[in-house]
Amino acid sequence: MSGWVTVAGLGPGSDALVTPEVSAALAEATDIVGYIPYVARVAARPGLRLHASDNRVEVERARHALELAAAGARVVIVSSGDPGVFAMAAALFEALEAAPEHQQLDIRVLPGITAMLAAAARAGAPLGHDFCAINLSDNLKPWALIEARLRAAAQADFAMAFYNPRSRSRPEGFARVLELLREACGGERLITFARAVSTPEEQLVTVTLAEATPEMADMRTVVLVGNSATRRVGRWVYTPRSA
Amino acid sequence: MSGWVTVAGLGPGSDALVTPEVSAALAEATDIVGYIPYVARVAARPGLRLHASDNRVEVERARHALELAAAGARVVIVSSGDPGVFAMAAALFEALEAAPEHQQLDIRVLPGITAMLAAAARAGAPLGHDFCAINLSDNLKPWALIEARLRAAAQADFAMAFYNPRSRSRPEGFARVLELLREACGGERLITFARAVSTPEEQLVTVTLAEATPEMADMRTVVLVGNSATRRVGRWVYTPRSA
């Protein structure tokens, strides 16, 4: 019995952004656990068991992975992007906290290219200086906390990256975010909508906050907002290192 | 003449964390430009010209890369980590802003595994919820701005990642940061010092802010501070998704 659990980041979509470390873990696995579209990215091979589950069952999925490993399986939990950024790593440790009998298991977290950094690279360097990353979904936290963080970020002049900008359960939330940002940062601030970066469906657009509308984002979009010094140079957007 | 410039992230140290996209760019390059230790990570081969330069000449280095590409070279500017996070991408666009004649060049930014996410993966998931990244170097910005961002981050209960925690020119700065954080977050807050992650010199330690001392960080260390909900589970540190 030498089971293990590895949480691996598959990056934003393209295989060219999957690290060799992650590819090696996938090649050694007996079991792949994850959200349906991420499991679908792993090539099938004889003897590899695929356990695809729906969204919003992250802790149950992590518990399942721990149980498989405890029984001797070599399990990779696949995550999009980086597992530590609004993805499966935190859910795994929540499951581990509730199941101390598994704490001696061989557990590893393998980093990946997270969506905001893939998007920033495509746009230029909009996160080129101090920045923050905020999950705009209020599935697991109160909306007031999201607004408080947005205000603090604007006041401190951080560049910002938003994950999950438009949730199905609260479609009006992102309109409120844009409104708050326009008040706090002014209408000229640059905002980039990056959808499905590194996939065939990739779309990237940069506008001002005055021009931005909620419909520019969907669940596959990561949103980047510049700080007060962020500007265009040619077809690029960047934040100077001195800002 | 079909020169190009690509800014590529080599990740934190291990070749297993270099993306296939970056490896392909290095294989096609005629010229490698970068800070001495990063250029040293690129395997030499016949016909590949290496242009290693010292620290703090980022814009001059970028201008050199643009000039080489304008003359037909295929240039990779190598960056540690991710080029868009406190690294060479912003410097390239600064150079491009000053040299509009190069704005039609073929320019690409290739993301990499940035130090804070490699460090977070080793520690567990300390950046598992909303977080910010702050460059603690005051080479290019006023110290007062660093303190304002630290206070805002603490007030908004962001987890935090710090790059360049200890500069040679202001060794007392990081002591002040720890003091400010202890006042704003209390002594029990968890802080992780991650040095040279994914290299043979890797060292990782998590303590409370009360236990933290400035000497725990050097220029190869990235520092992660939890938010108010960050906690230990077994040998791991994580921030729950609901915080």
Side-chain angles (χ1 to χ4, degrees):
Chain A
M1 299 299 247
S2 55
W4 46 254
V5 176
T6 290
V7 199
L10 297 179
S14 164
D15 286 346
L17 295 177
V18 179
T19 67
E21 182 179 68
V22 167
S23 296
L26 293 171
E28 289 169 17
T30 58
D31 293 78
I32 306 291
V33 171
Y35 178 40
I36 299 161
Y38 309 148
V39 172
R41 288 184 51 196
V42 178
R45 57 178 159 78
L48 182 66
R49 288 176 294 267
L50 304 177
H51 310 267
S53 46
D54 206 350
N55 215 345
R56 300 209 187 179
V57 293
E58 288 82 5
V59 175
E60 294 82 336
R61 181 190 298 150
R63 189 184 312 130
H64 183 212
L66 290 168
E67 286 161 3
L68 289 169
R74 301 189 295 275
V75 185
V76 175
I77 304 175
V78 288
S79 210
S80 126
D82 180 279
V85 179
F86 311 127
M88 278 301 296
L92 174 66
F93 295 110
E94 284 177 47
L96 196 63
E97 197 168 44
E101 69 274 20
H102 293 316
Q103 288 181 8
Q104 293 313 312
L105 277 175
D106 177 358
I107 294 174
R108 287 194 309 159
V109 182
L110 305 186
I113 303 291
T114 186
M116 68 178 167
L117 298 185
R122 282 289 200 275
L127 305 179
H129 203 66
D130 302 333
F131 67 94
C132 62
I134 302 178
N135 187 344
L136 293 185
S137 165
D138 64 343
N139 287 342
L140 294 171
K141 68 182 163 189
W143 182 258
L145 182 59
I146 295 175
E147 291 210 3
R149 285 181 179 158
L150 289 169
R151 283 183 214 285
Q155 189 200 337
D157 203 17
F158 280 112
M160 308 178 208
F162 303 142
Y163 286 70
N164 302 315
R166 295 197 79 189
S167 75
R168 247 160 294 174
S169 57
R170 186 191 277 267
E172 75 281 13
F174 188 57
R176 177 71 198 114
V177 168
L178 291 176
E179 199 178 295
L180 186 157
L181 290 173
R182 272 189 291 263
E183 282 164 24
C185 308
E188 294 309 301
R189 186 67 56 92
L190 293 177
I191 180 169
T192 298
F193 294 86
R195 184 172 185 277
V197 168
S198 87
T199 78
E201 293 82 43
E202 175 173 320
Q203 286 181 316
L204 203 79
V205 61
T206 297
V207 297
T208 63
L209 277 177
E211 296 162 336
T213 65
E215 295 70 32
M216 290 177 175
D218 68 12
M219 284 308 282
R220 296 186 70 191
T221 307
V222 64
V223 178
L224 308 177
V225 178
N227 74 11
S228 61
T230 303
R231 51 191 185 251
R232 294 180 189 268
V233 51
R235 60 193 183 283
W236 305 97
V237 177
Y238 90 102
T239 301
R241 299 168 302 148
S242 53
Chain B
M1 300 297 247
S2 55
W4 46 253
V5 177
T6 290
V7 200
L10 296 180
S14 165
D15 287 345
L17 295 177
V18 179
T19 67
E21 182 178 68
V22 167
S23 296
L26 293 171
E28 289 169 16
T30 58
D31 294 79
I32 306 291
V33 170
Y35 178 40
I36 300 160
Y38 308 149
V39 172
R41 288 184 51 195
V42 179
R45 57 179 158 78
L48 182 67
R49 288 177 294 268
L50 304 178
H51 309 267
S53 46
D54 206 351
N55 215 344
R56 298 210 188 178
V57 294
E58 288 83 4
V59 175
E60 295 83 335
R61 181 190 297 151
R63 190 184 310 131
H64 183 213
L66 290 169
E67 287 162 1
L68 289 168
R74 301 189 297 273
V75 186
V76 175
I77 304 175
V78 287
S79 211
S80 124
D82 179 279
V85 179
F86 312 125
M88 278 299 297
L92 174 66
F93 294 111
E94 283 177 46
L96 196 64
E97 198 168 44
E101 69 274 19
H102 294 315
Q103 289 181 9
Q104 294 315 309
L105 276 175
D106 177 357
I107 294 175
R108 288 193 308 159
V109 182
L110 306 186
I113 303 292
T114 187
M116 68 178 168
L117 298 185
R122 282 288 200 273
L127 304 178
H129 204 64
D130 302 334
F131 67 94
C132 62
I134 302 178
N135 186 345
L136 294 185
S137 165
D138 63 343
N139 287 342
L140 294 170
K141 68 182 163 190
W143 182 257
L145 182 59
I146 297 175
E147 290 209 3
R149 285 182 177 156
L150 290 169
R151 284 183 213 286
Q155 189 199 338
D157 203 17
F158 279 111
M160 308 177 207
F162 303 141
Y163 286 70
N164 302 315
R166 296 196 78 189
S167 74
R168 248 161 292 173
S169 58
R170 187 191 277 269
E172 75 280 14
F174 188 56
R176 176 72 197 114
V177 168
L178 291 177
E179 199 176 296
L180 186 158
L181 290 173
R182 273 188 290 262
E183 281 164 25
C185 308
E188 293 309 300
R189 186 68 56 91
L190 293 178
I191 180 170
T192 299
F193 295 85
R195 183 171 186 278
V197 168
S198 87
T199 77
E201 293 82 42
E202 176 172 320
Q203 285 182 315
L204 203 79
V205 61
T206 298
V207 297
T208 64
L209 277 177
E211 295 162 336
T213 65
E215 295 69 32
M216 289 177 176
D218 67 13
M219 284 307 282
R220 297 186 70 191
T221 307
V222 65
V223 179
L224 308 176
V225 178
N227 74 13
S228 62
T230 303
R231 51 189 185 253
R232 295 179 189 268
V233 52
R235 60 193 183 282
W236 306 96
V237 177
Y238 90 102
T239 302
R241 299 168 303 147
S242 54

